[in-house]
Amino acid sequence: MDESPRGWGVIPSTGIPTIAFGNQKGGTGKTTATLNSAGALATRGHKVLAIDMDPQADMTKGLGLGPGDDTNPSSPKNELPNTLVTDDANLLDVLVDNPRTHETGLSEIVIEAGEYDHLNFDLVPSHKDMGLARDWMDDASARLSLKLALEEMVDDGYDYDFILIDCPPDLSVLTDAAFIAAQNVFLAAQTQATSRDALDDLWDQLESIEDNQQIEIAIVGLLANMYRDDGQSKKFLSAFDESFASMAPIFKLPMRVAIQRAWDNGRDIFEWEDPNDQQVERELFLEIAETMERAFDKTQVEA
Ligand SMILES: Nc1ncnc2c1ncn2[C@@H]1O[C@H](COP(=O)(O)OP(=O)(O)OP(=O)(O)O)[C@@H](O)[C@H]1O
Ligand SMILES: [Mg+2]
């Protein structure tokens, strides 16, 4: 591990290492990777902010802050509020109003880790209104909205070691805003032939953002999710390896029941004690956290 490269991540304008978890293909593990990487970085002593940019709000729900679970009355989710329906300011207000009026800042809508026992990192939740983003975020400033909002948050005194952004499964303005704010992308893919086509489109999108915005974007890692040791997976990974292995480490995560169960109970895997062994997934996400530290030349923070 120690001989691998350090410091290949791009530090964005806020000065805080920021990583967007992307892939326009649906159901590849973006949200799973975002919330469990946030949990792993927090476990290693870092102060982390996770931002849910997806109108589907899966990360907010996966941390228990969406609707409860009618089918399981004992789910810890039922005791937590549903932040998706609040009448207070929400993330869409920040992204739409802030570039024009500077009225609604991220600091107004962030849920701080100290507010809930199970939360080890701060969260900017999604909201039901985020579904209107396509209609409202239609001018040139919209793509810069998250970057500007993060710069203001840092000016307001918020300081984080890492910011992680969960992207929706598309190449919409929300995803662009996340890529521009982060300048670092962590890919979550399933190792199938169709995933290769999706990644080709994603490279094109990243290149076009680099050209248009005159910025550099780094690939920080690839999660080969629901990995199976078969020919399909090997073929996919060797194709990825050829282009990116030197800069983007690949993490293989098999199907693990406890990941789904932690999610169903509104927790990351470090906050969830499962009847099944959780060593494989916990070790993998701690390794991802270590890699993120190396990408930005940071070290674990001693408790
Ligand atoms: N390795 C895994 N083992 C078990 N369950 C998993 C694993 N990875 C993801 N899942 C489950 O699969 C579902 C889809 O994963 P996830 O929501 O993270 O994908 P996504 O890429 O964020 O989806 P979307 O594109 O809709 O945003 C979730 O219910 C999640 O709990
Ligand atoms: Mg998702």
Side-chain angles (χ1 to χ4, degrees):
M1 277 260 144
D2 278 337
E3 71 282 1
S4 52
R6 301 187 73 88
W8 76 92
V10 177
I11 304 284
S13 53
T14 52
I16 299 174
T18 303
I19 300 162
F21 290 71
N23 191 341
Q24 71 280 17
K25 212 167 145 55
T28 57
K30 294 176 284 296
T31 305
T32 303
T34 315
L35 76 91
N36 290 309
S37 301
L41 285 165
T43 301
R44 288 178 62 82
H46 297 291
K47 186 163 165 52
V48 180
L49 172 67
I51 302 177
D52 189 351
M53 282 288 270
D54 187 354
Q56 297 179 104
D58 288 337
M59 182 162 67
T60 310
K61 294 178 195 164
L63 289 166
L65 294 161
D69 184 351
D70 296 341
T71 60
N72 176 10
S74 65
S75 166
K77 283 183 175 180
N78 295 329
E79 284 153 34
L80 297 166
N82 181 356
T83 59
L84 303 180
V85 293
T86 165
D87 291 333
D88 298 338
N90 65 62
L91 182 52
L92 187 70
D93 298 322
V94 174
L95 299 174
V96 172
D97 297 342
N98 193 292
R100 301 185 184 114
T101 62
H102 300 272
E103 252 170 31
T104 317
L106 280 175
S107 49
E108 280 170 62
I109 63 167
V110 68
I111 296 172
E112 297 195 26
E115 293 178 42
Y116 298 103
D117 281 351
H118 75 294
L119 212 56
N120 288 326
F121 47 88
D122 290 6
L123 172 73
V124 169
S126 186
H127 189 271
K128 65 176 174 43
D129 289 356
M130 288 287 282
L132 304 170
R134 277 178 198 78
D135 299 330
W136 285 96
M137 295 174 67
D138 57 356
D139 59 17
S141 68
R143 288 184 161 67
L144 298 175
S145 55
L146 184 61
K147 173 187 155 80
L148 296 175
L150 285 171
E151 285 169 358
E152 275 180 23
M153 191 182 204
V154 170
D155 286 346
D156 285 349
Y158 280 78
D159 197 13
Y160 292 101
D161 296 313
F162 288 93
I163 299 174
L164 307 186
I165 308 170
D166 186 19
C167 295
D170 55 34
L171 295 174
S172 66
V173 61
L174 288 172
T175 302
D176 279 0
F179 288 163
I180 291 169
Q183 292 187 244
N184 298 281
V185 177
F186 190 100
L187 302 160
Q190 288 182 35
T191 47
Q192 306 153 343
T194 50
S195 300
R196 282 170 55 183
D197 298 339
L199 287 188
D200 283 344
D201 292 342
L202 186 55
W203 307 142
D204 291 346
Q205 181 83 354
L206 291 175
E207 267 175 12
S208 115
I209 293 175
E210 287 185 319
D211 284 350
N212 291 338
Q213 305 291 332
Q214 293 290 299
I215 55 172
E216 191 194 336
I217 298 179
I219 307 292
V220 183
L222 169 80
L223 181 72
N225 194 18
M226 303 190 195
Y227 182 81
R228 284 195 311 220
D229 215 357
D230 59 12
Q232 272 267 24
S233 293
K234 287 192 180 124
K235 221 164 122 190
F236 173 91
L237 285 185
S238 66
F240 185 85
D241 245 1
E242 268 171 34
S243 335
F244 294 99
S246 59
M247 60 169 171
I250 297 170
F251 303 93
K252 297 177 195 164
L253 178 63
M255 192 77 190
R256 301 284 295 174
V257 205
I259 289 192
Q260 184 65 53
R261 258 198 307 251
W263 170 292
D264 290 343
N265 284 281
R267 301 279 183 274
D268 70 60
I269 55 170
F270 297 91
E271 278 295 312
W272 173 247
E273 292 307 326
D274 200 80
N276 279 26
D277 171 43
Q278 290 176 286
Q279 199 180 343
V280 170
E281 52 272 39
R282 283 189 177 168
E283 275 178 7
L284 186 102
F285 278 103
L286 288 171
E287 204 188 312
I288 289 176
E290 260 180 77
T291 304
M292 290 176 178
E293 288 167 6
R294 277 207 317 283
F296 297 98
D297 221 352
K298 283 181 168 255
T299 47
Q300 178 172 11
V301 180
E302 296 302 333

